[in-house]
Amino acid sequence: MNAPAETRKFEAEVAQVLHLVTHSLYSHKEIFLRELISNASDACDKLRFESIAKPELLAGDGELRIDVSWDPDARTITVRDNGVGMSRDEVVANIGTIASSGTRRFLEAMSAEQKTDARLIGQFGVGFYSAFVVADRVTVLSRRADLPASEGVKWESDGKGEYSLEQVDLAERGTAVILHLKADEDEFLKPWTLKSLITRYSDHVAFPIRLPLEKDGKPGDEWETVNAASALWTKPKSEISDEDYQSFYKSLGHDFNDALAWTHNRVEGSQSFTTLLYIPAQPPFDLMMGGRDERKGLKLYIKRVFIMDAAEELLPNYLRFVRGVVDADDLPLNVSREILQQNRQLERIKAACVKRVLDLIEKLARDEPEKFTTFYKAFGNTLKEGIAEDATNRERIAKLLRFASTKGEGSAQSVSFDDYIGRMAVGQDTIWYITADSHAAAIGSPQLEAFKAKGIEVLLMSDRIDEWMLGSLNEYAGKKLKNVAKGELALDEADKKQQEEASKAAEPLLKKLKELLGDRVSDVRVSARLTDSPSCLALSDYEMAPHLARLLREAGHDMPESKPTLEINPQHTLLKRVEAEADLGKAGDLANLLLEQAEIAAGAPLPDPAAFVQRMNRVLLG
Ligand code: ADP
Ligand code: MG
């Protein structure tokens, strides 16, 4: 029975996407062709894959291809493929709604920040809608390869909020997208324009893209293949130009810009495979915010047949920014995702991919510092996840990390562990670092004072992931990594002795402070960290930095309350005042303020801000 013709409303998000796409892509309007061809190519890939199990799907029309045509009278452009096609339900699900959560997040961010950056759009699977940048009406005719001719679907919309859906007879399987061009888009009706766009953006699509030869100003009956139509990665490197690599990168989708770098390798042997892996020049929009379930862009081929998007199976999470293809010769063509996940051969391919990517990043660090800086800005924090995730390559990854430092240039993340070790003083066996909320909080931290006084370098870590990463990195190249805020710090024997003496001398003061602060602190002791400031917090070796504990608590995690250890500098005038103050009320104000300023400097929350303000005012009015 025929489903009735009907008109439906787009899902609210689709209407929004349409609006954004048509308004912000205007300066790149020609990309609609690449997007439609890329969908057609995906559809051919899918059919080729399905036909492995069901060869009859290809019956009568075994040569998969994409035909682009124009009609000067009707003012239309048609992109037709003989790929897998769509059923009625699939048309509704794929182009009437936006299924992916990534698109939704993208929308939220776009409307929140009014940041209609065209480059972002291609990364979110909203490619089809780019048709409405140049067309005021789009017709889709589609029939799924495994359905009869009578179950074709006609979808049509002006992109304004509604679409119509109708069952039609379609003799051929696959999909035709017909663009009814807007009044001022006539340039796309010229075969020359279409041809140059195809060779520019879609040359390396693996299926033939054909255009009719022009006859008397109209498309004739003869067709010409206009793209290279070969799998780029199968060619020898010497025959591939940088432009070829870049144009192939863009044909993978999800980025309009050039790739930063790539690595192309063929492994021959008991197990043969080819990898072509790219590092983008900027992060996709959702990389950091839960981009984990949106991993696209690494395609698995087996003997040139596209099998699936398999980023998760082929690369660890911390390299999720990598794009490209892996073509394996020896995997069974009928693999499923479940089989892949336990496949030993795939494990080896995965290890090889990781090695290639790390090799490439090392090469950038060594030979192309500017590119490395670009890379590190975009993906440094993602790479850091590898310290915890990839124990095998931990040392290699650690070598690639860069930090701000008390001996670096401003807040630039440019100092490596090796740089640090190269500058260590004789006898120094520890790599010192501090973690904080921001670079300013790190560099201004009182805990650094003794280090500055002694000229000892401290790495300044202010990315959220740093503290977490350091949980998996206790040493590098045989040197211990230590937080300057942790434990009792005595940098050398002379220090130790001096501190013991100072502690002894300060005993009455320490006792007084402990009484005044009561259960706000777990301990008060003389600090070896301070030279200028009156006080700071110290952490036990296993305690989390206060700024991080605060973040986690704010994010809803149950964090155990721990009382801080207060360290003081008995030489400081404020401490002398506490010591001399006979009025216990006044001494109490001073003691609490000493604790509170240490808490503020460490990024810890003030338990009672109002009380703090009152105390401060009492002292100010003195
Ligand atoms: P993406 O290609 O990133 O998934 P698009 O907006 O370009 O996003 O396409 C949306 C979906 O519509 C595709 O995932 C696919 O399921 C379907 N689709 C689009 N064009 C075709 C086509 N020519 N043949 C079959 N399915 C298609
Ligand atoms: Mg697409």
Side-chain angles (χ1 to χ4, degrees):
M1 210 194 78
N2 277 17
E6 56 177 319
T7 302
R8 297 198 189 189
K9 272 197 174 11
F10 282 119
E11 213 190 18
E13 276 89 350
V14 177
Q16 260 175 291
V17 167
L18 273 165
H19 180 84
L20 280 170
V21 168
T22 46
H23 286 81
S24 57
L25 266 188
Y26 208 73
S27 53
H28 299 68
K29 57 189 169 186
E30 77 279 3
I31 63 107
F32 79 89
L33 189 59
R34 189 191 65 191
E35 291 297 317
L36 296 181
I37 288 175
S38 139
N39 287 348
S41 163
D42 289 349
C44 291
D45 269 334
K46 280 183 205 153
L47 181 60
R48 188 155 66 176
F49 180 58
E50 285 189 18
S51 70
I52 296 165
K54 294 192 210 160
E56 66 275 14
L57 290 180
L58 287 176
D61 194 5
E63 199 212 326
L64 295 164
R65 63 177 176 273
I66 301 159
D67 287 348
V68 179
S69 184
W70 76 100
D71 181 335
D73 302 325
R75 302 193 58 262
T76 58
I77 290 177
T78 301
V79 178
R80 182 192 304 275
D81 66 72
N82 60 353
V84 71
M86 286 178 276
S87 67
R88 184 185 178 103
D89 289 347
E90 285 172 329
V91 169
V92 172
N94 296 339
I95 55 188
T97 52
I98 291 181
S100 88
S101 56
T103 310
R104 205 152 273 152
R105 279 203 302 272
F106 159 74
L107 268 177
E108 282 158 15
M110 289 284 260
S111 31
E113 297 175 28
Q114 302 285 307
K115 190 170 66 178
T116 46
D117 186 339
R119 287 170 310 176
L120 294 175
I121 288 172
Q123 303 164 4
F124 285 85
V126 292
F128 172 79
Y129 301 109
S130 62
F132 288 99
V133 179
V134 295
D136 47 23
R137 188 155 53 94
V138 176
T139 311
V140 177
L141 297 169
S142 190
R143 172 164 70 82
R144 213 180 189 292
D146 53 6
L147 291 176
S150 60
E151 296 209 27
V153 196
K154 178 177 173 185
W155 177 101
E156 195 164 77
S157 175
D158 62 3
K160 295 240 163 65
E162 288 181 344
Y163 60 89
S164 67
L165 210 53
E166 195 183 329
Q167 185 163 346
V168 292
D169 264 24
L170 293 176
E172 285 165 34
R173 66 156 196 261
T175 304
V177 180
I178 304 161
L179 311 184
H180 307 266
L181 293 180
K182 290 179 182 168
D184 48 356
E185 304 298 352
D186 280 358
E187 59 172 311
F188 295 114
L189 289 173
K190 298 193 185 95
W192 185 86
T193 310
L194 294 173
K195 189 171 175 172
S196 72
L197 288 177
I198 293 169
T199 44
R200 169 136 44 107
Y201 290 118
S202 311
D203 205 27
H204 295 289
V205 167
F207 301 95
I209 305 171
R210 307 190 313 172
L211 269 179
L213 288 172
E214 197 172 4
K215 206 176 163 202
D216 308 327
K218 297 200 173 176
D221 298 333
E222 254 186 287
W223 292 80
E224 168 196 29
T225 297
V226 291
N227 66 328
S230 70
L232 182 81
W233 64 90
T234 58
K235 292 191 189 173
K237 282 198 222 183
S238 57
E239 287 172 27
I240 310 177
S241 70
D242 284 4
E243 278 114 56
D244 290 337
Y245 277 119
Q246 292 289 17
S247 100
F248 179 70
Y249 171 70
K250 289 176 198 157
S251 77
L252 291 170
H254 310 293
D255 197 352
F256 294 173
N257 303 290
D258 278 354
L260 184 71
W262 58 85
T263 171
H264 181 191
N265 302 281
R266 167 114 191 118
V267 173
E268 305 273 4
S270 63
Q271 190 188 353
S272 305
F273 57 91
T274 304
T275 55
L276 173 51
L277 304 170
Y278 292 88
I279 297 178
Q282 66 258 311
F285 186 72
D286 61 344
L287 181 77
M288 291 313 285
M289 13 195 280
R292 286 165 185 254
D293 48 11
E294 301 290 326
R295 290 176 56 187
K296 280 196 169 185
L298 194 56
K299 293 175 186 294
L300 174 65
Y301 286 74
I302 296 176
K303 297 192 223 17
R304 249 96 32 239
V305 177
F306 171 74
I307 304 297
M308 63 179 94
D309 283 300
E312 258 149 286
E313 287 76 12
L314 292 168
L315 279 174
N317 215 347
Y318 72 99
L319 297 179
R320 62 186 174 277
F321 49 83
V322 172
R323 303 275 175 265
V325 298
V326 171
D327 191 345
D329 291 0
D330 309 312
L331 288 171
L333 270 173
N334 58 352
V335 285
S336 67
R337 208 170 275 281
E338 290 67 41
I339 293 178
L340 271 187
Q341 274 156 0
Q342 308 151 8
N343 187 291
R344 297 257 323 278
Q345 277 172 305
L346 202 76
E347 275 304 306
R348 245 172 288 148
I349 296 181
K350 187 172 176 177
C353 287
V354 173
K355 182 179 178 305
R356 294 305 182 189
V357 174
L358 293 179
D359 285 348
L360 178 60
I361 302 173
E362 278 167 8
K363 201 171 127 240
L364 291 183
R366 195 177 53 236
D367 305 332
E368 298 186 84
E370 260 171 48
K371 281 193 182 173
F372 181 77
T373 305
T374 306
F375 161 78
Y376 200 78
K377 259 208 193 110
F379 305 114
N381 281 343
T382 318
L383 188 68
K384 285 175 190 169
E385 294 173 21
I387 294 288
E389 194 185 345
D390 188 353
T392 322
N393 290 300
R394 184 171 294 153
E395 188 95 2
R396 278 190 88 180
I397 299 167
K399 209 180 184 59
L400 290 167
L401 301 182
R402 301 290 183 269
F403 303 99
S405 156
T406 50
K407 293 197 178 165
E409 284 164 39
S411 63
Q413 301 196 330
S414 57
V415 176
S416 67
F417 287 128
D418 291 325
D419 295 336
Y420 183 103
I421 291 171
R423 290 197 282 257
M424 271 183 167
V426 188
Q428 186 182 343
D429 58 358
T430 304
I431 299 174
W432 294 102
Y433 66 85
I434 184 164
T435 65
D437 245 356
S438 64
H439 180 74
I443 190 109
S445 170
Q447 272 113 347
L448 293 183
E449 288 169 5
F451 291 86
K452 283 183 193 153
K454 286 190 185 321
I456 298 173
E457 180 167 15
V458 178
L459 299 175
L460 306 166
M461 308 205 183
S462 55
D463 286 316
R464 283 188 188 186
I465 189 172
D466 290 336
E467 178 89 16
W468 177 79
M469 169 192 78
L470 288 157
S472 304
L473 193 67
N474 302 320
E475 53 173 65
Y476 175 84
K479 312 278 181 206
K480 284 245 163 324
L481 262 77
K482 270 179 107 173
N483 187 330
V484 297
K486 286 193 176 169
E488 287 197 55
L489 181 89
L491 290 172
D492 50 43
E493 283 305 313
D495 260 15
K496 225 177 242 168
K497 195 143 169 272
Q498 202 187 352
Q499 202 194 352
E500 272 163 26
E501 281 162 16
S503 297
K504 214 172 203 138
E507 251 168 36
L509 173 60
L510 293 173
K511 187 160 168 271
K512 185 172 185 181
L513 282 166
K514 278 183 223 174
E515 278 167 14
L516 290 168
L517 292 170
D519 57 5
R520 285 195 70 184
V521 291
S522 66
D523 193 16
V524 182
R525 64 186 183 217
V526 170
S527 183
R529 295 178 168 86
L530 301 171
T531 58
D532 303 329
S533 297
S535 61
C536 69
L537 295 189
L539 302 173
S540 76
D541 279 338
Y542 305 101
E543 210 171 340
M544 187 179 282
H547 72 275
L548 190 72
R550 194 193 69 219
L551 283 175
L552 289 172
R553 215 170 277 131
E554 282 165 5
H557 292 272
D558 225 358
M559 301 295 300
E561 293 286 341
S562 64
K563 280 185 214 158
T565 296
L566 181 68
E567 289 196 346
I568 56 154
N569 171 5
Q571 301 311 315
H572 196 280
T573 321
L574 267 178
L575 273 303
K576 303 239 184 256
R577 278 207 9 219
V578 177
E579 204 166 16
E581 184 58 69
D583 180 330
L584 280 189
K586 287 186 177 167
D589 278 348
L590 288 173
N592 277 289
L593 285 172
L594 283 169
L595 172 61
E596 281 154 352
Q597 57 174 276
E599 287 176 327
I600 292 172
L606 287 181
D608 186 348
F612 160 74
V613 171
Q614 286 162 8
R615 251 193 293 283
M616 191 175 65
N617 289 342
R618 278 198 297 272
V619 171
L620 286 174
L621 293 172

mmCIF file of all heavy atoms in Angstrom, residues 35-36 38-39 42 125-128, ligand 2:
data_model
loop_
_atom_site.group_PDB
_atom_site.id
_atom_site.type_symbol
_atom_site.label_atom_id
_atom_site.label_comp_id
_atom_site.label_asym_id
_atom_site.label_seq_id
_atom_site.Cartn_x
_atom_site.Cartn_y
_atom_site.Cartn_z
ATOM 1 N N GLU A 35 29.763 18.920 -0.481
ATOM 2 C CA GLU A 35 28.983 18.224 0.549
ATOM 3 C C GLU A 35 28.056 17.185 -0.077
ATOM 4 O O GLU A 35 27.933 16.069 0.426
ATOM 5 C CB GLU A 35 28.184 19.233 1.369
ATOM 6 C CG GLU A 35 29.042 20.134 2.245
ATOM 7 C CD GLU A 35 29.804 19.357 3.314
ATOM 8 O OE1 GLU A 35 29.206 18.449 3.938
ATOM 9 O OE2 GLU A 35 30.998 19.643 3.516
ATOM 10 N N LEU A 36 27.396 17.553 -1.169
ATOM 11 C CA LEU A 36 26.464 16.609 -1.800
ATOM 12 C C LEU A 36 27.221 15.445 -2.431
ATOM 13 O O LEU A 36 26.793 14.292 -2.358
ATOM 14 C CB LEU A 36 25.597 17.325 -2.842
ATOM 15 C CG LEU A 36 24.671 18.411 -2.274
ATOM 16 C CD1 LEU A 36 23.842 19.036 -3.388
ATOM 17 C CD2 LEU A 36 23.760 17.850 -1.182
ATOM 18 N N SER A 38 30.081 14.355 -1.388
ATOM 19 C CA SER A 38 30.589 13.524 -0.297
ATOM 20 C C SER A 38 29.487 12.595 0.231
ATOM 21 O O SER A 38 29.737 11.422 0.522
ATOM 22 C CB SER A 38 31.193 14.433 0.784
ATOM 23 O OG SER A 38 30.857 14.001 2.063
ATOM 24 N N ASN A 39 28.255 13.081 0.293
ATOM 25 C CA ASN A 39 27.147 12.204 0.696
ATOM 26 C C ASN A 39 26.920 11.100 -0.336
ATOM 27 O O ASN A 39 26.667 9.950 0.013
ATOM 28 C CB ASN A 39 25.866 13.020 0.863
ATOM 29 C CG ASN A 39 25.893 13.868 2.117
ATOM 30 O OD1 ASN A 39 26.750 13.695 2.967
ATOM 31 N ND2 ASN A 39 24.958 14.799 2.219
ATOM 32 N N ASP A 42 29.596 8.560 0.129
ATOM 33 C CA ASP A 42 29.284 7.718 1.300
ATOM 34 C C ASP A 42 28.230 6.672 0.928
ATOM 35 O O ASP A 42 28.322 5.510 1.342
ATOM 36 C CB ASP A 42 28.723 8.567 2.453
ATOM 37 C CG ASP A 42 29.777 9.456 3.092
ATOM 38 O OD1 ASP A 42 30.974 9.262 2.791
ATOM 39 O OD2 ASP A 42 29.403 10.344 3.884
ATOM 40 N N GLY A 125 28.082 17.351 10.492
ATOM 41 C CA GLY A 125 27.117 16.550 9.784
ATOM 42 C C GLY A 125 25.874 17.329 9.421
ATOM 43 O O GLY A 125 24.767 16.836 9.545
ATOM 44 N N VAL A 126 26.037 18.581 9.049
ATOM 45 C CA VAL A 126 24.900 19.351 8.557
ATOM 46 C C VAL A 126 25.104 19.658 7.076
ATOM 47 O O VAL A 126 24.533 20.579 6.546
ATOM 48 C CB VAL A 126 24.685 20.659 9.351
ATOM 49 C CG1 VAL A 126 24.234 20.329 10.748
ATOM 50 C CG2 VAL A 126 25.943 21.497 9.361
ATOM 51 N N GLY A 127 25.952 18.833 6.452
ATOM 52 C CA GLY A 127 26.358 19.085 5.071
ATOM 53 C C GLY A 127 25.209 19.205 4.085
ATOM 54 O O GLY A 127 25.213 20.077 3.232
ATOM 55 N N PHE A 128 24.224 18.331 4.194
ATOM 56 C CA PHE A 128 23.134 18.333 3.233
ATOM 57 C C PHE A 128 22.461 19.701 3.145
ATOM 58 O O PHE A 128 22.095 20.174 2.067
ATOM 59 C CB PHE A 128 22.103 17.263 3.612
ATOM 60 C CG PHE A 128 20.858 17.336 2.779
ATOM 61 C CD1 PHE A 128 20.830 16.816 1.498
ATOM 62 C CD2 PHE A 128 19.730 17.973 3.278
ATOM 63 C CE1 PHE A 128 19.687 16.913 0.719
ATOM 64 C CE2 PHE A 128 18.581 18.074 2.502
ATOM 65 C CZ PHE A 128 18.559 17.545 1.223
HETATM 66 MG MG MG B 2 27.636 14.757 4.443
#
